[in-house]
Amino acid sequence: MASGLGVALFSSAVFGLSGSFAKALLETGWTPGAAVTARLTGAALILAVPAVPALRGRWHQLQDNWLTILLFGLIGVAACQLFYFNAVARLSVGVALLLEYLAPVIIVLWLWAASRKRPRPLTIAGTLLSLGGLVLVLDLTGAVKIDFVGVLWGIAAAVCLAIYFFITAKENDTLPPIVLASGGLMVGAAVMWLTAATGLLPMAFSTADTKLGPWVTPWWVSLGGLIVMATVLAYVSGIVAARALGSKVASFVSLTEVLFAVIWAWLLLGELPGPIQLLGGVLIVGGVVLVRVDELRGAASGVPAPAAVAAPLDHANDVEPVP
């Protein structure tokens, strides 16, 4: 348990670097589409190395699970990361990530509307707490005005993350997680290159030096960090942590990604949300914790979870589409 917890914290820490590395590239002239495409392509090539042996020659697993891989790559990887990077281009890294972490709340509201069955009080409290946190994160009366286009991008990323949870909610023992991660990254990279080739997605790269904290580094340092640390190491360590702790415990630990992202953005970019926004972030994360605690209580009591109690979160963290 202790070693698994350490791996899970490491996974959250390196996942939290993605926004800082991406913003360093965006500030030199990279477009969000170019950053996402380079990230997915590099990570897909690296993760293909362990994914092929993991199949053990059972190539039919890819054919049997082609729809899951396709949807995971299209929505959970490509769209989610593109929307998040577009949000990062207009907002601080911390605010963009906090908006994306509204995904569990979106799941609760959607299932509530679809089933017309009221969730348990703890889930309602968590939802209201997160929505209140959203109001504070936006800090509508603050001196620093929020870019509402960036907010829409962040909410779009949250919607993609919620859809991803629905896609992966079904227990699936026929496809190794590393294969799903690699396959999804390949699909995501292919989609990005295709949209770029058709002119639908602006693509601009730059070889200008990037600035990370007090250091001025070549562009490939930030790109390499985005690919190797914030994607490959993050996915692999996340899989190891989920297997050691179980997906539910690992999902709780993954909430620390918000904290790590804010700390990295402060150290590497000089960004720090205001006190009101930080309080809003605490409320959002606290609301998500309440929803997941309610889920655990329902599972422990043996009572079937009501429709809105994030049942899709049961198995959704074996492979995380965290930006």
Side-chain angles (χ1 to χ4, degrees):
M1 175 67 74
S3 61
L5 182 60
V7 174
L9 288 172
F10 172 79
S11 178
S12 291
V14 288
F15 262 129
L17 277 166
S18 66
S20 296
F21 283 135
K23 190 147 193 175
L25 293 170
L26 297 177
E27 288 178 344
T28 65
W30 286 61
T31 59
V36 172
T37 303
R39 179 189 190 186
L40 299 186
T41 303
L45 293 175
I46 295 174
L47 280 179
V49 176
V52 172
L55 278 172
R56 298 178 182 177
R58 293 172 294 189
W59 297 98
H60 64 88
Q61 292 180 339
L62 297 178
Q63 182 177 354
D64 295 341
N65 295 277
W66 69 270
L67 184 58
T68 298
I69 296 173
L70 178 64
L71 292 177
F72 170 66
L74 181 61
I75 299 175
V77 175
C80 191
Q81 293 186 22
L82 179 62
F83 294 164
Y84 172 67
F85 281 9
N86 272 294
V88 164
R90 294 173 173 268
L91 304 170
S92 70
V93 171
V95 170
L97 190 57
L98 286 170
L99 290 172
E100 188 179 21
Y101 261 79
L102 287 171
V105 176
I106 293 174
I107 291 174
V108 169
L109 295 176
W110 169 256
L111 290 176
W112 189 353
S115 68
R116 297 185 180 180
K117 185 176 181 180
R118 190 177 67 181
R120 291 191 290 255
L122 197 58
T123 292
I124 295 177
T127 301
L128 294 177
L129 194 64
S130 289
L131 292 176
L134 173 61
V135 174
L136 294 183
V137 165
L138 297 181
D139 195 11
L140 300 178
T141 60
V144 179
K145 297 302 180 183
I146 287 288
D147 187 318
F148 281 98
V149 175
V151 170
L152 292 177
W153 282 120
I155 294 176
V159 171
C160 286
L161 187 54
I163 295 172
Y164 160 81
F165 284 141
F166 282 113
I167 294 170
T168 58
K170 186 177 180 181
E171 184 97 35
N172 187 348
D173 297 325
T174 65
L175 192 66
I178 192 70
V179 176
L180 176 59
S182 177
L185 288 166
M186 288 183 180
V187 169
V191 169
M192 298 301 292
W193 283 113
L194 181 61
T195 52
T198 56
L200 297 176
L201 183 68
M203 289 280 245
F205 302 86
S206 173
T207 57
D209 291 341
T210 57
K211 191 174 186 303
L212 295 171
W215 305 284
V216 176
T217 64
W219 63 273
W220 51 264
V221 172
S222 292
L223 180 60
L226 183 62
I227 294 173
V228 177
M229 297 182 67
T231 309
V232 175
L233 289 180
Y235 271 102
V236 173
S237 58
I239 292 169
V240 172
R243 289 181 173 178
L245 300 175
S247 61
K248 288 182 179 179
V249 176
S251 72
F252 272 96
V253 181
S254 72
L255 294 175
T256 59
E257 184 194 341
V258 177
L259 173 62
F260 283 117
V262 170
I263 292 174
W264 287 127
W266 176 40
L267 294 175
L268 299 178
L269 302 174
E271 291 183 352
L272 187 65
I276 295 296
Q277 292 177 314
L278 289 175
L279 176 60
V282 171
L283 295 183
I284 288 176
V285 174
V288 172
V289 168
L290 287 181
V291 170
R292 293 191 175 181
V293 165
D294 200 20
E295 175 195 358
L296 287 176
R297 287 177 57 185
S301 65
V303 178
V309 179
L313 302 183
D314 260 2
H315 308 288
N317 288 276
D318 289 338
V319 180
E320 300 180 43
V322 182

